[in-house]
Amino acid sequence: MLRARPEWVCLLLLVVSSLVFLTWGVQSWEFALPLRSQKLIALCVVGFAIGTSTLLFQTLTHNPILTPALLGFDALYVLINSVLVLFLGVVHFSTMNPLVKFGIEVGLMLGMSLLMFRFLFTKDRQDLTRLILVGVVFGVLFRSLSSLVARLINPDDFITVQAASYAQFNTINTQLLTVSVIVCVLAGVMMWRLRHQCDVLLLGKSCAINLGIDYRKLSLALLSIIALLVAVSTALVGPVTFLGLLVCAITNQLTRSMHHAKRLVLVALVSMLVLVLGQALFEHGLKMAGVLSVVIELVGGVVFLLLIFKEYRLKDGRVL
């Protein structure tokens, strides 16, 4: 049943997990239900954005162990917050309009990625490997600049910067939900329209071009969607490196279908399920005794290592 209809099973589990998240230990419905509903929507938005963007990135790169985090979004996010704290101070940073802060973060992350795509993905040069390597270099640069800024700011202010360096699923700013939902809906519509071209892209660059796909146009469209979704999810909760890798690995185990009409839906449901169920357990079951983002990074890191070893064994049978 799970192999035959994994998306329906995941949808059922997501509905059950959502009901558990909304009703677990509720004493005042008037207070708890609106608050939890907004947090539930935010978790679903983040899950959708991270899951689908990672799947598209792996489709584009033909590599199941890569994530959009390699393009340096998380490092740029930390740098932006560090610079804001340095020039504005903790008081003004904490009281800053959330929509203005959200717009600055998304605008800079999206602008950086589009500039990188524009100069490194031209008609003459369409090398994704070079693009990823440049993204890694920029990530190292941004982390180095963040460390420099951390030495310049007040040690007490550094706590605020340190908090922004990790994903915060417990304190999601619900004022940003409307904008985030609209962005995800628009990105979802664009992905759905490109789903059949993504299926062809899995055959490889040469085959896709021979079958009539405008490779450069499709690649730029997918990279722009990926950058937009990652920027929105990072600005909403903070950097999450391994969640996309984890949910894509689970999706690959649940289905052998390579059609994006099925895989995009399934990876979004799996990602939402992981966040909603995990947050329900940590927030209501364990009474905030643990942090979901730390567990996700730990499990995702282990999955990353297992995938690397698996790829190595497949390429060199002599290891076995």
Side-chain angles (χ1 to χ4, degrees), residues 202-261:
L202 286 175
L203 300 174
K205 178 181 177 180
S206 300
C207 292
I209 293 175
N210 290 332
L211 291 172
I213 297 295
D214 188 338
Y215 182 78
R216 179 176 181 272
K217 181 178 179 181
L218 177 60
S219 298
L220 287 176
L222 293 179
L223 286 170
S224 299
I225 294 173
I226 292 168
L228 182 61
L229 289 175
V230 174
V232 168
S233 64
T234 305
L236 191 61
V237 298
V240 185
T241 304
F242 287 117
L243 175 61
L245 184 69
L246 175 62
V247 297
C248 284
I250 295 174
T251 300
N252 292 333
Q253 294 300 316
L254 293 179
T255 180
R256 297 302 178 188
S257 173
M258 301 307 292
H259 296 289
H260 282 76

Side-chain angles (χ1 to χ4, degrees), residues 103-263:
I104 292 174
E105 293 167 348
V106 173
L108 289 177
M109 285 188 283
L110 185 60
M112 185 276 294
S113 60
L114 292 178
L115 283 175
M116 190 166 60
F117 301 158
R118 173 66 178 82
F119 289 107
L120 297 177
F121 212 75
T122 62
K123 292 183 179 180
D124 300 326
R125 294 179 299 176
Q126 301 176 16
D127 189 358
L128 280 172
T129 303
R130 179 180 300 175
L131 178 65
I132 294 172
L133 289 175
V134 171
V136 172
V137 172
F138 271 114
V140 174
L141 173 63
F142 295 149
R143 290 185 182 92
S144 300
L145 292 176
S146 299
S147 300
L148 175 61
V149 174
R151 296 177 181 275
L152 297 176
I153 62 177
N154 189 300
D156 295 332
D157 298 346
F158 179 72
I159 299 176
T160 303
V161 176
Q162 192 71 13
S165 303
Y166 301 95
Q168 302 290 334
F169 295 111
N170 300 324
T171 57
I172 298 174
N173 195 323
T174 56
Q175 299 181 35
L176 309 175
L177 277 183
T178 303
V179 177
S180 301
V181 169
I182 292 174
V183 170
C184 286
V185 169
L186 294 176
V189 171
M190 295 173 63
M191 284 187 290
W192 191 253
R193 295 182 62 181
L194 296 173
R195 66 191 186 280
H196 298 307
Q197 296 185 50
C198 291
D199 294 340
V200 178
L201 193 61
L202 286 175
L203 300 174
K205 178 181 177 180
S206 300
C207 292
I209 293 175
N210 290 332
L211 291 172
I213 297 295
D214 188 338
Y215 182 78
R216 179 176 181 272
K217 181 178 179 181
L218 177 60
S219 298
L220 287 176
L222 293 179
L223 286 170
S224 299
I225 294 173
I226 292 168
L228 182 61
L229 289 175
V230 174
V232 168
S233 64
T234 305
L236 191 61
V237 298
V240 185
T241 304
F242 287 117
L243 175 61
L245 184 69
L246 175 62
V247 297
C248 284
I250 295 174
T251 300
N252 292 333
Q253 294 300 316
L254 293 179
T255 180
R256 297 302 178 188
S257 173
M258 301 307 292
H259 296 289
H260 282 76
K262 185 173 184 178
R263 290 172 63 82

